[in-house]
Amino acid sequence: MLAEPGHLLVMGGPGSGKTTIALLKAQKIIPTLSAGQEVLFLSFSRAAVRQVLTRCKSILTRNERQVIEVQTYHSFCLECLRSYGRLLNGLQTRIIYPDVERLERAEFDGDWSQELARRAEAEGIFVFDQFAGAMADIVEGCAAVRALLGRKYPLVIVDEFQDTNDDQWRIVAALSQVTNIFCLADPDQSIFQYDPKVDPLRLKKAQAFLKPKAVDLAGDNHRSPNGGILAFADAVMNNTALPSPCGEVTQHSYPPRGFGATVHAAVIWMFSKLAKAKITNPTIAVLTRSNPLVADISIILGQQHTYKDQTLKPISHEVIWDAELSAAAAVVLASILEWPRQNVRDAQAQTLRLVSAYYRLKAATDGTLLAKNLGRQFGEAATAISIGGKLRTKKTKEVAAAVEAGVHLVGDPVTDWRAASRVLAQTPALVEIQRQVRLIRLFRATDALGQGLADSWVATGGYAGTTVLVKKVLDKERLISAEQDPQGVLVMNIHKSKGKEFDGVILVEGAFKSFFFDDRSEKPPFPQSRRLLRVAITRARQRVAIIRPSNSAPLSVL
C-alpha cells in the first residue's frame, strides 16, 4: 500500500488500521511535497476529524502535521465555494446556515428544492446541502480549478468512502484526474442508505472508475484486539449464531418497571469493569436509536435510584445531540423571568413572539403542519398585542393570561428558574415547551446560566435582558461541547456515535420506543437495523453492555 503510486482503496472493519495506513501513506509522500503543497484528508463529521487529528499526533511529527489538512466535506466545499463560486453564475457566493434555512423552509409555501435552485442560480445563495453539488459543478466544469487543486493536494484521502453521496463522489471522480485518491471504506458500516443520494453500489462503481489497487483488511482488529467485540457485532449484523462465551460483550434484561435502575446500574457496572482493566479516565457511551430515549436516559442518570437494595447516586454526564429546540424553549422560559420588570402588553408580545419562534423552528425540523400553524398563530398574536388588537385562538389567550397572572421571583436563580418552569407546566399551551426546557441540563450550562442570572439580579434587582443572556450562554456551550473530545459518560443516538471510539459502550433498547428491530418500518431480518447495531457495538475498545426489555426477541434469530 505504501509503495503504490496510483489510486488506493483500503477496506476493513472498525479498528482494522485503515486510518493508520492512510497517515503512514501521507508520511511517506510528505518529503516529496513542494512549498505550498499539502495532503488533504476528508471525512464526514467533526467528531471523525477530531479522531484523525488525535491519531496524527501519535504517528506524525509536528512538522509533518502542519502539511496534513483534515476537513469535513462541508468545510472543504465551503472554502472552495467562497474562492471559486463566482465561476458558477458571476455572483459573489453567499451562505445561509442551517438554523436560518430551517426557519425559511418552514415559512415557504411551495417547492423548497426549486426555490433553493433558483436562489443559487439567480442570487448566488447556497445552503449546506448544496455545497457538494455546487463544488462538483466547479471541479467538473473548470479544468483550471481542477488542476489547481491537483497541484495543491498531491494526495487526497477520503474517509468513510462507502457513505459518499452522489455529489461527493462527483468531486472525488473529478479530482482523480489530477491527483491520487486514497479511499478508506467499511462496506458493513454504511448506515446512511436511507438517503437516496447514497448509492449502495458506490464501492463497486468507484472501483470500476478509479481502477485502484484494492486491499481488504478484513479480520484485522486493533481497536478491540481480543476480537470478541467485532465477532459479536458481525454475528448480530449477519444474523448468525452469537459467539459464546464472549467476555467483552454482556447482555442484560430489565423487568417492566426496572428500566431506569437497570440503565443506571449498567453505567456504574461499566465503570467498575474498566477500572479493573486499569483504564484511567474512561470514556463510556450510552447509545440508543432515538433522541426521545436519549432525553429519558439523561434524566435517569441525573436522579437517584435503588438497584438490588443498593442506592445509586446521580452520574455526571454529557449529551450529544441536536439541541436547537431545547435552546429555543429555554429562551421562552427566560422571557418569563423578565415579566416583573415589563408592562403586561410588552411581556405578552415578547413571550408570544418567542413561542412563535420555537414552533417555527420545530416546523423546520420535523416538517409538521401543526407546528407551522402554531408558529404562524403565535406570531400573529404577538403582532396583534403590539398594536392593541385582540387574540383569536385559545392557545394564545392561555399564554396572555399566564403573563397577566405573573410569576413570583425571589432573587435565587435556581428557585426562580424552577418557578418559571412551573408557569410553563401549568399553562396548557406551553407544556410542550416545558418538556424541552427540562433538557437544558444537557448543555452543561448550569453554572454559566446561574452566574449570569445572579449577576443580573444583583445589578438590577431583576432579570432584565435574560432572553439575550440565555441564548448567548447556550449557543456558546453547544459550540464548546461540539468541539470537545469525548470525556466521561456521554449519551447519544447511534448515528451521532459514528466516527467515535469509547472504552465502554452501553447499548440501550426501550420497552415502548427506540426498538432495536421495528417491523413497522423495516421487514425481518432487519438488515439496516442490524448494520446500525454493528456500528454501535464496534464503537467500544474494551467492553459492551447491551440492555434490553426482558421479553425481547434474541439478537440472532437463526
Side-chain angles (χ1 to χ4, degrees):
M1 288 182 276
L2 297 180
E4 173 60 35
H7 303 315
L8 268 165
L9 169 62
V10 174
M11 296 173 287
S16 60
K18 300 186 298 295
T19 303
T20 298
I21 286 292
L23 293 178
L24 291 173
K25 180 75 171 181
Q27 187 178 51
K28 182 176 176 62
I29 76 160
I30 283 174
T32 70
L33 298 181
S34 302
Q37 288 187 316
E38 295 178 325
V39 173
L40 177 62
F41 197 121
L42 291 177
S43 195
F44 277 89
S45 67
R46 287 181 295 181
V49 165
R50 287 199 300 271
Q51 292 282 358
V52 173
L53 291 173
T54 300
R55 197 70 56 81
C56 284
K57 292 180 181 178
S58 64
I59 295 175
L60 306 177
T61 66
R62 176 177 296 181
N63 288 338
E64 289 171 337
R65 295 198 298 271
Q66 290 177 352
V67 291
I68 297 279
E69 185 175 325
V70 186
Q71 291 205 62
T72 64
Y73 270 106
H74 272 115
S75 63
F76 173 68
C77 291
L78 174 58
E79 285 187 7
C80 290
L81 267 182
R82 284 173 169 161
S83 298
Y84 313 119
R86 193 182 292 272
L87 294 170
L88 293 170
N89 49 24
L91 300 172
Q92 182 65 43
T93 298
R94 290 186 289 161
I95 303 300
I96 298 294
Y97 288 92
D99 54 343
V100 176
E101 191 222 340
R102 278 195 293 268
L103 293 177
E104 291 183 351
R105 182 173 70 241
E107 296 172 351
F108 182 78
D109 291 323
D111 188 317
W112 183 241
S113 61
Q114 288 184 4
E115 172 63 9
L116 290 179
R118 184 200 65 78
R119 289 187 185 187
E121 175 66 26
E123 303 174 38
I125 297 174
F126 296 88
V127 302
F128 269 36
D129 286 345
Q130 294 175 298
F131 288 2
M135 178 59 185
D137 289 343
I138 292 172
V139 293
E140 286 177 340
C142 184
V145 171
R146 200 164 56 239
L148 180 64
L149 292 172
R151 291 196 301 273
K152 172 72 172 176
Y153 305 112
L155 176 65
V156 176
I157 301 168
V158 186
D159 198 12
E160 304 284 3
F161 182 73
Q162 73 280 350
D163 286 327
T164 50
N165 65 29
D166 294 340
D167 291 329
Q168 292 161 345
W169 162 241
R170 289 169 56 207
I171 296 171
V172 173
L175 292 179
S176 71
Q177 302 174 42
V178 293
T179 188
N180 282 328
I181 303 295
F182 190 160
C183 301
L184 310 179
D186 180 356
D188 294 327
Q189 206 171 160
S190 179
I191 60 174
F192 296 107
Q193 290 183 1
Y194 56 81
D195 184 342
K197 286 190 173 184
V198 176
D199 189 341
L201 299 178
R202 177 75 65 226
L203 285 177
K204 183 178 293 187
K205 293 179 179 178
Q207 283 184 270
F209 182 86
L210 296 174
K211 296 180 172 54
K213 178 180 179 63
V215 180
D216 192 347
L217 301 178
D220 292 356
N221 178 20
H222 307 288
R223 178 177 299 169
S224 50
N226 290 337
I229 291 174
L230 183 57
F232 190 97
D234 284 343
V236 171
M237 183 185 68
N238 297 318
N239 196 22
T240 56
L242 300 176
S244 180
C246 182
E248 295 94 342
V249 183
T250 57
Q251 297 189 65
H252 310 268
S253 62
Y254 58 86
R257 296 185 179 182
F259 177 73
T262 304
V263 172
H264 197 152
V267 177
I268 294 174
W269 175 86
M270 184 65 74
F271 268 118
S272 69
K273 290 297 182 182
L274 295 175
K276 289 180 181 178
K278 303 189 183 306
I279 305 295
T280 57
N281 300 319
T283 55
I284 296 173
V286 184
L287 306 180
T288 188
R289 291 199 63 168
S290 69
N291 278 341
L293 194 57
V294 166
D296 292 346
I297 291 172
S298 176
I299 292 170
I300 286 167
L301 296 183
Q303 297 172 340
Q304 182 172 291
H305 291 90
T306 300
Y307 183 79
K308 294 184 177 179
D309 297 327
Q310 291 188 343
T311 300
L312 309 180
K313 295 182 179 180
I315 297 174
S316 177
H317 63 282
E318 308 296 344
V319 175
I320 311 298
W321 72 337
D322 298 319
E324 287 86 353
L325 269 181
S326 293
V331 177
V332 175
L333 183 147
S335 75
I336 296 175
L337 297 177
E338 296 184 355
W339 288 354
R341 303 298 297 270
Q342 296 175 306
N343 67 60
V344 172
R345 279 201 170 270
D346 287 346
Q348 288 172 329
Q350 174 174 269
T351 299
L352 288 166
R353 186 176 66 254
L354 294 173
V355 174
S356 172
Y358 169 86
Y359 279 109
R360 287 164 56 212
L361 181 60
K362 179 178 171 62
T365 302
D366 61 22
T368 61
L369 184 61
L370 175 61
K372 184 175 182 178
N373 288 337
L374 287 173
R376 176 181 52 78
Q377 291 171 14
F378 280 106
E380 290 173 351
T383 301
I385 286 288
S386 298
I387 62 177
K390 294 183 179 181
L391 302 181
R392 298 176 180 272
T393 68
K394 180 181 178 182
K395 289 183 179 295
T396 58
K397 291 176 181 178
E398 288 172 352
V399 175
V403 178
E404 280 197 67
V407 61
H408 177 65
L409 305 177
V410 298
D412 174 70
V414 174
T415 301
D416 292 341
W417 186 272
R418 289 173 178 167
S421 182
R422 284 195 298 273
V423 171
L424 294 174
Q426 293 165 5
T427 307
L430 301 177
V431 169
E432 176 183 329
I433 292 176
Q434 191 271 338
R435 287 197 295 265
Q436 285 286 346
V437 166
R438 292 188 307 162
L439 305 177
I440 288 305
R441 72 178 70 189
L442 309 185
F443 295 135
R444 303 180 306 120
T446 306
D447 291 342
L449 278 179
Q451 187 62 55
L453 294 173
D455 290 346
S456 177
W457 186 274
V458 169
T460 67
Y463 295 114
T466 299
T467 52
V468 175
L469 167 70
V470 169
K471 187 176 188 311
K472 283 184 177 179
V473 169
L474 296 183
D475 285 348
K476 180 179 178 181
E477 290 296 327
R478 283 157 52 206
L479 179 61
I480 292 172
S481 179
E483 298 296 338
Q484 284 184 333
D485 291 328
Q487 295 180 353
V489 178
L490 300 105
V491 187
M492 68 190 81
N493 67 46
I494 296 173
H495 281 87
K496 284 287 184 183
S497 75
K498 190 170 183 184
K500 301 180 175 72
E501 296 180 10
F502 310 93
D503 296 306
V505 164
I506 300 170
L507 185 55
V508 181
E509 179 177 17
F512 306 105
K513 57 186 172 185
S514 195
F515 306 117
F516 286 176
F517 308 116
D518 191 344
D519 57 15
R520 294 171 299 180
S521 57
E522 186 182 10
K523 295 180 179 180
F526 309 103
Q528 291 295 331
S529 295
R530 291 183 178 280
R531 185 173 286 112
L532 187 64
L533 291 176
R534 181 183 186 268
V535 168
I537 294 167
T538 56
R539 298 308 89 203
R541 289 187 285 259
Q542 298 287 333
R543 277 191 170 273
V544 177
I546 301 175
I547 312 299
R548 308 187 70 200
S550 56
N551 60 349
S552 297
L555 287 175
S556 178
V557 296
L558 288 181

